[in-house]
Amino acid sequence: MTFGVLVFPGSNCDHDAYHVTRHVLGQDTRFIWHKEERLGDVDVVIVPGGFSYGDYLRAGAIARFSPIMNDVVRFANEGGLVVGICNGFQVLCESGLLPGALLRNASLRFICKPVYLRTEQTDTPFTNALRPGQVIQVPIAHGEGNYYASEEVLDDLEANGQVVFRYSTADGAVTPEANPNGSARNIAGIVNARRNVLGMMPHPERCAEAILGSEDGLLIFRSLVNHVLGAAV
Amino acid sequence: MFKAHVAVTLRPSILDPQGKAIQHALHNLGATAIERVRVGKYIELWVEEDDEAAAEAIVREACEKLLANPVMEDFTIELERVEGEPA
């Protein structure tokens, strides 16, 4: 299978994502420059973390208008798998592929630390290798990760099972203390209604090898391989 | 030509921790009468257009599509007729 990793000016987690899918999982992977107009033949698009366009105006606001994003929207609307990580999540919200927005962290601080996530949904292409309720440890590194949506949108997300990860304690309790950035209902990651687009603020690509202290993040990439190749890898 | 003054502000329902921190600092300065601070963005646009309604429509579309995110922000537009090149 083939992963495509978008590259914007200011992306800085593109190589980490490439490393995981290409070298750790052994799948074909290629970079796709933001000025390209077609994704080409890929099974999964990764919108990586970083500071596309220096976060000018709003995080993700300018990247959304890069030429390649038209084809990402087409790809997603045709059911293609799209993963937005950190700045990628912000770009997907700005482009309308996911509901809501990411506000300034409630603390006003840039936060860079490992956090615990409770798995809320396992029937997605991104989480089929996880167990319901499984707690994974994944780092966050963001200044604008405070997930916001109107109460009606949040209720819809809950009712449709679109909240995939919540910030939790190590034993899976979803508490205000476990919420690093003020996100509504401790939301760390969501999928769209069709369940083919995932956005999450934490960085699974930074914890996908034992040498880095955790392999928990690999479960998300492995889920995608399971989904596309139809077999455990 | 028109110069547009665009103010983008967080919607009232959105918490503004930056405004809170500034308000706190103002109180430390003794400006305790300032009860609330909200921080937004101010953007200037120069629009090559003679008709005010047409200029307003162009700026409004810019706000709706890019300058403000309607999920979390509101915007206001003021137009001023100006001569010549942008300063």
Side-chain angles (χ1 to χ4, degrees):
Chain A
M1 66 178 286
T2 305
F3 286 85
V5 180
L6 301 192
V7 182
F8 298 99
S11 293
N12 65 9
C13 301
D14 42 353
H15 283 263
D16 305 59
Y18 181 99
H19 174 71
V20 172
T21 58
R22 177 72 191 87
H23 300 125
V24 180
L25 286 176
Q27 304 299 323
D28 287 340
T29 305
R30 57 192 185 79
F31 290 118
I32 302 172
W33 181 236
H34 73 115
K35 284 192 172 166
E36 291 186 36
E37 297 196 340
R38 306 290 297 177
L39 292 165
D41 189 16
V42 295
D43 299 294
V44 178
V45 172
I46 298 177
V47 190
F51 298 85
S52 58
Y53 294 91
D55 278 354
Y56 291 172
L57 193 62
R58 293 178 307 276
I62 313 272
R64 173 243 165 133
F65 291 97
S66 278
I68 196 62
M69 285 308 297
N70 287 329
D71 210 39
V72 173
V73 171
R74 175 204 57 83
F75 181 76
N77 288 339
E78 290 174 1
L81 298 169
V82 179
V83 183
I85 300 166
C86 196
N87 188 224
F89 186 11
Q90 296 162 338
V91 172
L92 295 180
C93 287
E94 284 283 341
S95 63
L97 287 175
L98 291 171
L102 284 311
L103 306 179
R104 194 69 99 72
N105 291 344
S107 65
L108 288 178
R109 292 195 181 89
F110 188 98
I111 305 170
C112 186
K113 67 174 186 183
V115 298
Y116 293 104
L117 306 177
R118 189 175 79 188
T119 308
E120 304 288 271
Q121 300 289 328
T122 55
D123 62 336
T124 79
F126 317 97
T127 51
N128 59 57
L130 290 133
R131 300 184 311 278
Q134 184 173 352
V135 176
I136 58 176
Q137 193 180 33
V138 180
I140 56 169
H142 59 245
E144 280 115 6
N146 178 353
Y147 184 74
Y148 170 84
S150 68
E151 285 299 309
E152 302 82 72
V153 169
L154 292 170
D155 288 343
D156 274 356
L157 289 174
E158 307 268 12
N160 298 333
Q162 290 174 248
V163 178
V164 173
F165 294 112
R166 274 185 235 269
Y167 300 108
S168 75
T169 63
D171 50 11
V174 174
T175 64
E177 295 72 31
N179 186 343
N181 53 25
S183 286
R185 305 187 192 183
N186 281 46
I187 289 172
I190 58 170
V191 289
N192 62 343
R194 194 171 169 180
R195 301 175 102 69
N196 63 312
V197 178
L198 168 75
M200 62 188 295
M201 287 311 297
H203 284 277
E205 79 285 11
R206 293 191 187 180
C207 58
E209 282 175 287
I211 196 172
L212 297 177
S214 166
E215 293 181 295
D216 287 356
L218 192 59
L219 294 166
I220 290 163
F221 297 98
R222 188 160 277 156
S223 295
L224 284 159
V225 176
N226 290 348
H227 182 82
V228 172
L229 298 182
V233 174
Chain B
M1 176 175 286
F2 283 90
K3 180 177 176 183
H5 307 261
V6 174
V8 179
T9 50
L10 286 173
R11 296 177 66 169
S13 58
I14 308 254
L15 290 174
D16 179 10
Q18 199 176 188
K20 275 247 158 49
I22 292 168
Q23 183 194 2
H24 204 74
L26 289 168
H27 283 197
N28 289 345
L29 279 173
T32 51
I34 296 173
E35 289 188 351
R36 193 155 184 251
V37 179
R38 307 277 291 170
V39 178
K41 294 187 187 98
Y42 168 70
I43 302 168
E44 297 176 331
L45 307 169
W46 283 263
V47 187
E48 186 61 72
E49 174 60 61
D50 283 334
D51 180 65
E52 181 160 359
E56 151 111 26
I58 290 166
V59 174
R60 181 164 298 280
E61 188 178 2
C63 289
E64 287 168 351
K65 288 194 172 166
L66 176 60
L67 301 181
N69 178 341
V71 174
M72 56 182 176
E73 292 167 329
D74 293 324
F75 62 86
T76 59
I77 299 169
E78 280 180 41
L79 288 175
E80 170 194 2
R81 192 179 285 277
V82 294
E83 299 299 326
E85 293 297 301

